[in-house]
Amino acid sequence: MTDFLDLPDGRRIAYRLTRGTGPAIVFLPGYMSDMAGSKASALFEWAREQGRTCLLFDYSGCGESGGDLAEGTLSRWRDEALALIEAKLDGPVLLVGSSMGGWLMLLVALKLGKDRLAGLVGIAAAPDFSDWGYDDAQKAQLRHGETVLEDNPYGPDPTPTYPGFWSDAQLHLLLDAPIPLDCPVTLLQGQADADVPWQTSLRLVERLTTPDVLLLLSKSGDHRLSSGQDIARLLAAVEGHLTRA
């Protein structure tokens, strides 16, 4: 069942929550994705069967949440995740971020602080994609306030990048400096990923200050990492973090 959290500025954030033993799993979907996606759904059902706490939600402008995608930014979505965690969860959380959600996972973790973090699981995590994911011509368009449209391999409509999202994202670049996090981290990455170069995960491993980082590379894995085998790896990674917490 979907519930809603009303924020002070009128945003209405859709979420699903199953309660059990902690730490609580919090899933952060990718750009233009939502809590109905295959990885989020599989994680939620697994948590319910295992008696674990799990929180899914839709960013404003996505899925069942209110708002306009054109107003979405990393800052805005990070703060929505933090508001939900503060309002609905007690104790430590295990953040699981997919693609752009992997960037948000890091931003949320940096705000939460070590006392609330049980660990991080990144799935094709894409920190800094506003920098490495666009060519010079596209960046020039965005700087001049124009929306960039790109072919969408997952649907009939093109994927828009709005200038507000891009300019905000440029304020949150992480890969050129140490990322001061101390919790355990697992990164799942496909080497056949056409959207996020697998070398991005290597850069992330280097930048994280925690020594407790495990990178799992799938030679045939694509960006979505949603095959049965990929989902099994995800659930095993999550279980491993929860067992040691």
Side-chain angles (χ1 to χ4, degrees), residues 19-32:
R19 292 198 180 275
T21 57
I25 305 161
V26 179
F27 185 81
L28 299 157
Y31 187 71
M32 292 182 65

Side-chain angles (χ1 to χ4, degrees), residues 146-229:
E146 301 174 27
T147 298
V148 168
L149 299 176
E150 297 179 283
D151 290 338
N152 180 6
Y154 310 116
D157 298 322
T159 299
T161 300
Y162 298 101
F165 174 89
W166 185 82
S167 61
D168 176 82
Q170 291 297 94
L171 302 175
H172 294 294
L173 301 178
L174 296 174
L175 293 178
D176 288 332
I179 302 172
L181 293 171
D182 298 323
C183 63
V185 179
T186 300
L187 301 174
L188 308 176
Q189 176 69 49
Q191 288 188 284
D193 189 333
D195 297 304
V196 178
W198 61 269
Q199 292 88 349
T200 302
S201 288
L202 294 180
R203 290 183 65 193
L204 180 53
V205 170
E206 292 172 349
R207 291 306 185 187
L208 287 162
T209 58
T210 176
D212 193 352
V213 183
L214 176 64
L215 171 59
L216 298 176
L217 289 175
S218 168
K219 187 170 183 177
S220 61
D222 61 11
H223 182 61
R224 301 184 80 175
L225 290 178
S226 58
S227 71
Q229 189 176 45

